Amino acid sequence: MTTTNTHVTGTARLNLAKAAPKVFRALIGFDAAAREGLDPALVELVQIRASHLNRCAYCLHMHTNDARKAGETEDRLHMVPVWREARHFFTEREQAALALTEAVTQVADAGVPDEDYARAAAHFDEQELAHVLSRILAINTWNRVALSTAKVAGTDERG
């Protein structure tokens, strides 16, 4: 079956965890390390925004559900894609992380502008900034894994 995006669905694809378990475990380890010391709400906002930009329904479904379970409000979840027009829903720190998320996720378009990096650096100490950047890199990797292997939204296998 073909969708309007010319993506093929319904076709069995590689299960990365089974086909390359060492690679998959390394991704899990990177993911866990990238979260360390970060506010769980911030982690979910970053993951949600990158998943929007990458059009990864699987990850978007997973992370909006995780955010809800962690107490995130529906209002804020609905405003993530338009956070620049709804800044009052987000702290300055969250806005800085969202801007950096957009820049890094869309790095091929314009690199990472100095202003986006500087804004994030003003709101996070060096270690936090390293973890925010790592979180952005991790979710972009997961988005690409999910999209490449045709993961279906709503079929999260986590326990």
Side-chain angles (χ1 to χ4, degrees), residues 11-138:
T11 304
R13 290 200 183 173
L14 176 78
N15 179 325
L16 188 65
K18 289 181 182 173
K22 282 180 73 173
V23 171
F24 196 79
R25 282 192 304 273
L27 288 175
I28 296 284
F30 177 58
D31 185 271
R35 293 171 186 272
E36 286 182 15
L38 293 179
D39 174 19
L42 181 74
V43 167
E44 294 306 334
L45 291 175
V46 164
Q47 294 181 140
I48 290 165
R49 187 62 188 129
S51 297
H52 277 132
L53 294 169
N54 288 320
R55 298 173 60 193
C56 183
Y58 178 82
C59 293
L60 186 59
H61 183 266
M62 179 190 314
H63 294 300
T64 54
N65 281 340
D66 288 349
R68 282 183 195 95
K69 288 175 190 169
E72 189 60 78
T73 66
E74 290 298 317
D75 278 346
R76 281 173 37 105
L77 290 176
H78 292 297
M79 293 299 114
V80 172
V82 293
W83 69 269
R84 290 179 192 275
E85 292 77 28
R87 293 175 193 262
H88 61 286
F89 282 92
F90 304 98
T91 67
E92 287 287 326
R93 189 172 162 95
E94 291 168 338
Q95 290 176 44
L98 289 167
L100 187 62
T101 299
E102 290 177 354
V104 173
T105 300
Q106 299 171 323
V107 69
D109 294 343
V112 177
D114 288 342
E115 63 202 40
D116 291 335
Y117 185 87
R119 182 178 184 190
H123 288 281
F124 297 96
D125 66 32
E126 191 171 85
Q127 183 177 18
E128 291 172 322
L129 183 58
H131 282 265
V132 169
L133 180 58
S134 297
R135 182 74 250 136
I136 296 165
L137 298 173

